[in-house]
Amino acid sequence: MFSHPVRRGAVVAAATASALALLAGPAFAHVTVNPREETQGNYAKLAFRVPNESDTAATVKVKVSFPLKTPLASVRVKPHDGWKAQVTRTKLPEPVESGDYTLEEAVSAITWTAEKGVRIGPDEFDEFEVSVGPLPEEKSLAFPAVQTYDDGEVAEWTEPVREGAAEPEHPAPVLTLTPEERGSGHGTAPAADKDEAGSDDPAAPVEVAAVGTSDQTARLLGGTGLGVGVLGLAAALLLLLAVRRKDAG
């Protein structure tokens, strides 16, 4: 039998573990954007992951807001069975340069609404995908999200996440942006914008150099083989002449 102090210690430990589990739970359940990191200047496919937190209600609507201070020139929604996507565009106060584009309006929000009989139920999650770009030269982009349940409950994942600070209770999805590596070429995206060889750089100096070196090697090997063949033929003729002289003698 355990003594009373040991029993009390076990109870306290269990209670502490349960409290920590409750505190840690929501951190894994909020709306997020995936991948979490992308490269500035790139086009990217983003998936907004929406877990259902309620034990009794289901998610039937998700609204994601897009930044207008650094608007995205291209925003395309991937069709999602059972959900209707509504794209909201907003006129900008003044034109904004985004890559090779000058924008006078931009996508400010996308709202996915479940059709009849469709939902994200308890213990389930779903993902809503978009293609965006070019990504701006910023450290990060926030995409505040609002999740609506079929019982009328609304979860707002809109609180800003600040570097070096503790994560808020209802953080907005954040995409971290890293600088483009020097010499990697402009991040891009549609394959049709690339040259026929699939390279972002039509000149492709490294590939050309490699082809030139291979060609020179082939020529060298060919010349060496020809020389060996001539020497072999000469040796055969000398041997034949020697045999004939011996027979004649």
Side-chain angles (χ1 to χ4, degrees):
M1 296 291 292
F2 291 117
S3 64
H4 291 298
V6 174
R7 287 183 181 178
R8 285 197 296 270
V11 171
V12 171
T16 302
S18 299
L20 290 174
L22 288 173
L23 290 174
F28 296 96
H30 56 251
V31 176
T32 59
V33 58
N34 298 277
R36 302 294 183 91
E37 184 177 298
E38 264 295 347
T39 304
Q40 297 170 2
N42 272 3
Y43 285 74
K45 182 179 76 171
L46 305 180
F48 294 99
R49 185 171 299 163
V50 183
N52 195 86
E53 290 188 292
S54 175
D55 294 330
T56 57
T59 299
V60 291
K61 186 164 71 172
V62 177
K63 179 181 179 181
V64 176
S65 296
F66 286 70
L68 289 180
K69 289 185 177 180
T70 52
L72 299 167
S74 175
V75 178
R76 300 177 186 274
V77 185
K78 183 176 181 179
H80 196 322
D81 289 344
W83 295 78
K84 181 180 179 181
Q86 179 182 353
V87 179
T88 302
R89 291 178 172 83
T90 300
K91 185 175 179 60
L92 302 175
E94 58 184 22
V96 175
E97 300 295 326
S98 177
D100 298 328
Y101 304 93
T102 299
L103 306 179
E104 295 184 354
E105 68 172 18
V107 172
S108 57
I110 299 176
T111 303
W112 288 271
T113 304
E115 297 176 353
K116 186 176 181 180
V118 177
R119 65 178 194 162
I120 307 173
D123 298 322
E124 295 179 346
F125 81 95
D126 207 339
E127 291 185 328
F128 302 89
E129 297 179 327
V130 297
S131 173
V132 301
L135 296 172
E137 294 182 0
E138 299 287 336
K139 290 185 177 180
S140 63
L141 290 179
F143 299 90
V146 177
Q147 180 179 9
T148 303
Y149 291 87
D150 56 6
D151 64 354
E153 189 75 20
V154 175
E156 298 186 1
W157 306 101
T158 58
E159 295 179 328
V161 178
R162 294 183 171 84
E163 187 176 358
E167 184 177 79
E169 186 177 356
H170 294 89
V174 174
L175 175 66
T176 299
L177 299 177
T178 57
E180 179 183 0
E181 292 183 8
R182 183 173 296 180
S184 64
H186 184 66
T188 57
D193 292 343
K194 298 184 179 182
D195 62 322
E196 294 180 357
S199 169
D200 289 313
D201 181 5
V206 175
E207 294 183 8
V208 171
V211 171
T213 301
S214 299
D215 188 53
Q216 291 174 3
T217 302
R219 290 179 182 178
L220 178 61
L221 291 175
T224 302
L226 180 60
V228 172
V230 171
L231 291 175
L233 179 59
L237 290 174
L238 290 174
L239 180 60
L240 179 61
L241 289 173
V243 171
R244 288 181 176 178
R245 286 175 183 174
K246 183 178 180 181
D247 291 342

